[in-house]
Amino acid sequence: HVQLVESGGGSVQPGGSLRLSCAAPVASFYCMGWYRQTPGKELEAVAAIDDVGSTSYANFAKGRFTISRDNAKSTMYLQMNNLKPDDGGTYYCAVAIRGMYGGTWFCHNRDGIDYWGEGTQVTVSP
C-alpha cells in the first residue's frame, strides 16, 4: 500500500498563488497527477506527469497551473497561479502504477488510478 500525503492548501485571494505538494513514495509508476473536487462538480483531473517528466493539463489549468516532480524527494507539486474563486475545492494527488495507454492522459481517467491522497483544501475568496 502506498500512502500519499498532500500539503500546501490554504486560503488566498483571487489572483493569488499556491503550491501544493504530494509526498508520493513510489519506486516506479506509470503516471501521477492532481484531481480536484469543487462545489457542485464531479471529481475532475487537473494535470498529470509521467516518469520521464512529460505533462498534460485540463483546459482550465493550461497557462495557470504547473505540475512537476522531484524524483529525489519523491514529491509531486502543483504550482497554481492566478487563482480564481472557481478553483476553490479539495485537491487530491493520485498515482497510477501500471498504465495501459495514452501516457500522462491515462492519469486523467480516475478508473486508472491505483492510489489516492486524502486531499488538501484550497479556498479562493476576496
Side-chain angles (χ1 to χ4, degrees):
H1 179 72
V2 175
Q3 184 174 8
L4 308 178
V5 180
E6 302 99 335
S7 61
S11 182
V12 296
Q13 294 183 341
S17 298
L18 282 173
R19 188 175 82 154
L20 306 183
S21 299
C22 172
V26 292
S28 65
F29 61 97
Y30 186 79
C31 56
M32 54 176 64
W34 291 94
Y35 278 71
R36 72 181 190 182
Q37 178 85 60
T38 57
K41 293 187 177 181
E42 294 186 357
L43 186 69
E44 60 183 347
V46 177
I49 188 167
D50 67 11
D51 59 349
V52 294
S54 298
T55 59
S56 57
Y57 297 89
N59 286 335
F60 65 80
K62 290 178 182 177
R64 298 191 299 130
F65 295 0
T66 303
I67 189 171
S68 62
R69 175 171 166 83
D70 185 329
N71 290 325
K73 296 182 179 179
S74 297
T75 301
M76 177 176 63
Y77 303 97
L78 184 68
Q79 177 68 44
M80 304 187 294
N81 297 328
N82 191 21
L83 282 162
K84 305 175 182 180
D86 286 350
D87 293 318
T90 304
Y91 284 70
Y92 301 90
C93 66
V95 173
I97 300 299
R98 298 181 186 85
M100 297 178 64
Y101 55 85
T104 59
W105 291 105
F106 185 82
C107 273
H108 286 251
N109 182 344
R110 72 178 91 173
D111 292 339
I113 301 301
D114 295 300
Y115 299 105
W116 295 91
E118 294 189 352
T120 186
Q121 184 68 32
V122 171
T123 302
V124 185
S125 63

